Amino acid sequence: MPVVGPISAGHLQAYVDASVPPAPQLGQIETMMGKLSIALPKREMSDEEANERLDLYWQALKRHALPDLQQAFMTLLRTCKFFPTIAEIEAAVAPIRGRRTRRLVAARLLLMKHQREWRPSGEPLTADEVRQLGSILADPMGHKAGEAA
């Protein structure tokens, strides 16, 4: 694994800091379940049974990240022949969550490696070298003042 420099480490840290996806809200689970129930065949049930089923699905699925659930529900919508069980939803979420987790672990490992192993290469620039570099950057063609470009 490479040792990343401070700029890449900063980008990786920003990725890790922003990597906590939002949790679903009951209404979002209810919407997903409602769309699945419209699109897929299911057995008839009373309103009381439907509410109980929604509560069971909510209790089982609320621990998952919302983007993972949304992606899994789109997969289930395309692949299921009947209304999915909680186990089928969990099976659809697992590889999605796994990919996200692997990316996060890799970013954390690169950050740890940077913190342990990165050393600046060479000596820091002197004040005179900084001025020279500044003049080169200001005029990369090396023209002297008053010269035609």
Side-chain angles (χ1 to χ4, degrees):
M1 214 186 278
V3 177
V4 298
I7 293 172
S8 295
H11 292 300
L12 286 168
Q13 188 62 57
Y15 173 76
V16 167
D17 292 343
S19 68
V20 178
Q25 301 297 313
L26 177 58
Q28 293 166 316
I29 296 279
E30 187 173 12
T31 298
M32 286 184 261
M33 301 304 290
K35 288 180 180 181
L36 281 173
S37 70
I38 291 169
L40 300 172
K42 64 178 180 357
R43 71 174 183 83
E44 291 296 319
M45 63 180 75
S46 68
D47 287 346
E48 185 178 311
E49 287 176 306
N51 288 335
E52 188 62 32
R53 176 182 250 191
L54 176 61
D55 186 55
L56 288 170
Y57 276 73
W58 165 246
Q59 293 303 320
L61 301 176
K62 67 182 178 183
R63 67 182 181 88
H64 293 293
L66 178 60
D68 297 351
L69 281 173
Q70 289 169 328
Q71 191 174 349
F73 273 83
M74 291 308 295
T75 299
L76 292 167
L77 196 56
R78 289 188 307 273
T79 60
C80 281
K81 293 180 182 177
F82 297 98
F83 194 85
T85 64
I86 291 172
E88 289 170 321
I89 297 171
E90 296 276 352
V93 169
I96 297 163
R97 181 184 58 236
R99 286 189 296 272
R100 185 174 40 78
T101 301
R102 281 190 294 281
R103 287 189 305 266
L104 184 57
V105 167
R108 285 184 174 147
L109 286 173
L110 284 170
L111 277 171
M112 184 176 65
K113 190 167 173 79
H114 166 78
Q115 292 163 352
R116 290 182 178 175
E117 299 177 20
W118 186 81
R119 301 289 175 263
S121 59
E123 296 294 317
L125 296 176
T126 64
D128 190 42
E129 290 170 326
V130 169
R131 279 190 294 278
Q132 284 179 333
L133 183 59
S135 65
I136 291 169
L137 292 174
D139 185 12
M141 299 304 289
H143 297 126
K144 294 188 177 163
E147 262 186 35

